[in-house]
Amino acid sequence: MSIDYSQKIPNNVNLSNDRTLQRALEHWQPHFLDWWREMGPHDFASADVYLRTATGVDAQGWASYGTVKMPDYRWGIFLADAIPERKIGFGDSFGEPVWQQVPGEFRSQFRRLIVTQGDTEPASVEQQHLLGHTCPSLYDLRNLFQVNVEEGRHLWAMVYLLHAHFGRDGREEAEELLARHSGDADKPRILGTFNEPISDWLSFFCFTYFTDRDGKFQLKSLAESSFDPLARTCRFMLTEEAHHMFVGETGIGRVVRRTLEVMKELGTDVAQALRGQGVIDLPLLQRYLNFWFSSSLDLFGSEVSSNAAGSFANGIKGRPDETTQYQDHVCTDATYELPTPDGKGGVQTEKVSLRNAMNEVLRVAYVRDSEIGLKRWNMQIQKAGHDFRLKLPSTRFRRSIGAWANVPTDLEGRIIAREEYQRRLPEWLPTPADRTYVQSLMQRVSTPGKMAGWIAPPDRGINNLGLDYEYVRLN
Ligand code: BYC
């Protein structure tokens, strides 16, 4: 179904046929806009931004480009087309018809997942609130804003489900999604990573590479859900998510390219010399990768989780690509072997039910996917003739959730003494001096076609436009 843009809330869910729901969402809309003005991109309300907006939900017609002021962006409710006769793809009700309404017995589980998903979307916009002031180019500024408005739309996607399917509780949860704030001492966002500040663009690129990739895997597993409106919503969100990860992967790739250029010019890889020329030395980049990767790993939850088992059994949340990637969709007898700390400084192998290990199954798929960018960046480094290689730390490193939470390990995942861990952290994570240095590079570049000195230009512009196009008119 095509998207109706003539309505106050653009949608392809026939909102005008359900006056009660329409009124409830129209009541929430000004609250959302107030939140956007206060917590969204700071100071850019009057800027003209070259943005894409969804016009249809099919593969071809979903993006149309044009210049928009962000507060006028057409946030709306877009579900991917229904798959006729769709059947439940996993769990105890495998093969039965999917649900158009939430079954009463699973209501609170669904609500919890939808709220958790919804909470991350505005959280990320809040984290990036001030970033526009220090953009390395207008191209990057536009990409930041594209990501921000789409995260805003993803919030709409979850709020629609809450309003349409969870009655009064859902409406209250929708208000709460605007009341919690990233990093707030009293009312923080639900998941840890979404309370980390993103005050520099290196963090932004790491976040869009690693944390948006968690989004990809969580959305893929919710896209398998037996609750069809949730599945359809997530399928459409995934098309938008791909661009966010592109921003991260190419952003880090451009940082690497620029650093390699200066390493060649100077004939050195000495950090101090490179910092003298205003670029990001590769060990510093590695420390940022360690920080954001380890933080994002926690977003998958515990390795052994009865919540995850329940979600799988009840058809609420499947595995990414459940239908195409797996033979056994019920997993009643299957087991999974997990390496866990034995409490005596060693590692043991625990055999658990596969259903209980679903969070870990997702995490393993995520780690594999995260390797792809590293291969590309390392290829650049190798081609430039350097031995240095970027590497993902072990999934045991610096964990706060799950079996490895608070177990001191090195980057290879070897358990070490806590004292050694504390002493060596400055080798592994950004130091205050690293952060100060990166912050010192964050100066706004807003001349069309110009780039900050710490990042190479992208290979191409947006939608076949040149790099010197004025992607944001600052007015
Ligand atoms: N921080 O059984 P457990 C995205 C809580 S990113 C704090 O281990 P479970 C995006 C958990 O909530 C994708 N708390 O795990 C990216 C539970 O608390 P309650 C976001 C945590 O429940 C960039 C307790 O610990 N989507 O879209 O199986 C920009 C025990 O939980 C954390 C989703 O996450 C943590 N890291 O699964 C914008 C999908 N981890 O309820 C957007 C929806 C766990 O007992 N969420 N806890 O008080 C889920 O599927 C699940 O809630 C989780 C955890 C995967 C998060």
Side-chain angles (χ1 to χ4, degrees):
M1 188 185 286
S2 64
I3 296 172
D4 182 355
Y5 270 96
S6 65
Q7 290 197 40
K8 211 164 165 183
I9 302 171
N11 72 89
N12 68 349
V13 293
N14 255 332
L15 196 56
S16 54
N17 281 3
D18 185 341
R19 297 306 299 271
T20 314
L21 176 60
Q22 188 178 27
R23 266 199 304 274
L25 284 164
E26 285 179 3
H27 178 75
W28 186 79
Q29 190 176 39
H31 301 184
F32 168 81
L33 289 171
D34 286 346
W35 167 83
W36 178 269
R37 274 184 221 104
E38 197 188 333
M39 306 303 285
H42 181 252
D43 235 12
F44 289 95
S46 63
D48 292 308
V49 189
Y50 186 70
L51 292 176
R52 70 175 186 192
T53 305
T55 52
V57 291
D58 55 343
Q60 287 81 35
W62 69 275
S64 99
Y65 286 87
T67 299
V68 184
K69 292 195 198 322
M70 281 185 282
D72 301 332
Y73 188 78
R74 305 290 277 137
W75 286 284
I77 300 159
F78 316 137
L79 269 58
D81 288 335
I83 298 169
E85 313 278 313
R86 183 170 169 248
K87 300 284 188 287
I88 294 176
F90 62 93
D92 293 339
S93 305
F94 179 73
E96 292 175 15
V98 291
W99 314 312
Q100 297 308 325
Q101 298 296 332
V102 178
E105 64 269 40
F106 306 142
R107 199 167 183 277
S108 69
Q109 273 170 287
F110 268 115
R111 195 183 72 192
R112 178 175 158 275
L113 288 184
I114 291 169
V115 166
T116 306
Q117 177 64 49
D119 191 71
T120 63
E121 315 290 0
S124 68
V125 176
E126 292 169 353
Q127 286 171 292
Q128 296 153 22
H129 177 61
L130 294 173
L131 217 46
H133 290 297
T134 56
C135 61
S137 71
L138 288 182
Y139 164 90
D140 290 290
L141 186 61
R142 176 265 166 211
N143 281 347
L144 167 71
F145 293 158
Q146 183 73 57
V147 168
N148 288 163
V149 292
E150 285 173 353
E151 300 301 7
R153 209 203 63 71
H154 291 181
L155 170 61
W156 269 95
M158 293 301 121
V159 164
Y160 164 69
L161 294 175
L162 289 170
H163 272 239
H165 295 278
F166 294 86
R168 187 177 166 173
D169 305 358
R171 291 194 293 279
E172 283 170 10
E173 292 284 13
E175 292 297 330
E176 284 297 301
L177 285 170
L178 300 175
R180 285 184 292 270
H181 295 308
S182 178
D184 190 294
D186 300 321
K187 276 190 156 228
R189 291 296 177 181
I190 296 171
L191 299 175
T193 311
F194 294 89
N195 291 300
E196 297 288 355
I198 303 181
S199 45
D200 64 73
W201 282 74
L202 190 58
S203 295
F204 173 65
F205 292 136
C206 291
F207 179 89
T208 41
Y209 187 77
F210 288 117
T211 312
D212 277 275
R213 193 171 307 275
D214 168 48
K216 168 181 167 181
F217 280 83
Q218 299 297 342
L219 291 174
K220 265 176 168 283
S221 51
L222 293 173
E224 300 289 335
S225 182
S226 315
F227 175 37
D228 205 40
L230 173 62
R232 290 172 58 200
T233 296
C234 291
R235 257 171 46 219
F236 184 64
M237 288 162 76
L238 278 162
T239 56
E240 292 169 324
E241 204 65 45
H243 173 69
H244 306 185
M245 286 177 293
F246 163 86
V247 168
E249 183 179 332
T250 54
I252 295 175
R254 289 160 56 208
V255 169
V256 171
R257 194 180 333 144
R258 179 67 192 132
T259 300
L260 291 170
E261 281 169 13
V262 174
M263 282 164 74
K264 190 170 171 198
E265 274 163 35
L266 298 184
T268 182
D269 60 2
V270 174
Q272 255 352 81
L274 296 170
R275 291 188 187 192
Q277 294 299 305
V279 291
I280 291 167
D281 47 285
L282 298 178
L284 190 164
L285 171 60
Q286 177 68 62
R287 289 192 285 279
Y288 270 69
L289 299 181
N290 294 344
F291 178 89
W292 285 103
F293 178 64
S294 54
S295 178
S296 301
L297 288 173
D298 277 339
L299 295 172
F300 290 85
S302 307
E303 284 78 358
V304 183
S305 163
S306 56
N307 287 337
S311 291
F312 187 85
N314 298 333
I316 292 171
K317 183 180 169 190
R319 289 166 289 188
D321 305 308
E322 179 69 49
T323 325
T324 52
Q325 289 294 308
Y326 300 94
Q327 307 274 309
D328 174 7
H329 300 295
V330 183
C331 306
T332 27
D333 304 321
T335 54
Y336 192 93
E337 293 196 350
L338 271 174
T340 55
D342 66 5
K344 293 177 275 184
V347 181
Q348 63 192 8
T349 302
E350 246 186 273
K351 204 177 199 181
V352 298
S353 142
L354 177 57
R355 284 183 170 191
N356 279 296
M358 286 303 174
N359 286 343
E360 185 61 8
V361 171
L362 255 69
R363 185 163 24 236
V364 167
Y366 165 84
V367 173
R368 212 178 302 127
D369 203 53
S370 297
E371 294 281 4
I372 295 170
L374 277 100
K375 282 210 185 86
R376 295 208 177 112
W377 306 326
N378 281 332
M379 196 88 80
Q380 293 184 59
I381 301 172
Q382 187 184 1
K383 274 196 187 147
H386 299 281
D387 294 333
F388 187 92
R389 295 291 176 269
L390 296 164
K391 210 165 165 254
L392 293 179
S394 161
T395 53
R396 302 172 188 175
F397 175 69
R398 199 179 81 99
R399 294 291 303 283
S400 304
I401 300 276
W404 291 91
N406 303 315
V407 177
T409 79
D410 63 12
L411 292 183
E412 276 70 43
R414 281 184 294 262
I415 299 176
I416 54 175
R418 189 163 300 279
E419 181 276 325
E420 182 186 353
Y421 176 76
Q422 289 301 343
R423 182 164 41 82
R424 295 186 64 190
L425 270 185
E427 284 173 46
W428 298 331
L429 296 177
T431 61
D434 290 341
R435 290 192 186 277
T436 306
Y437 172 65
V438 170
Q439 206 60 53
S440 76
L441 300 177
M442 299 296 123
Q443 309 286 339
R444 182 198 289 197
V445 176
S446 55
T447 308
K450 289 269 173 299
M451 294 286 142
W454 55 270
I455 189 164
D459 290 337
R460 60 189 70 84
I462 303 294
N463 194 28
N464 294 325
L465 290 174
L467 282 185
D468 53 358
Y469 184 77
E470 195 172 4
Y471 288 102
V472 182
R473 265 198 306 279
L474 293 168
N475 298 325

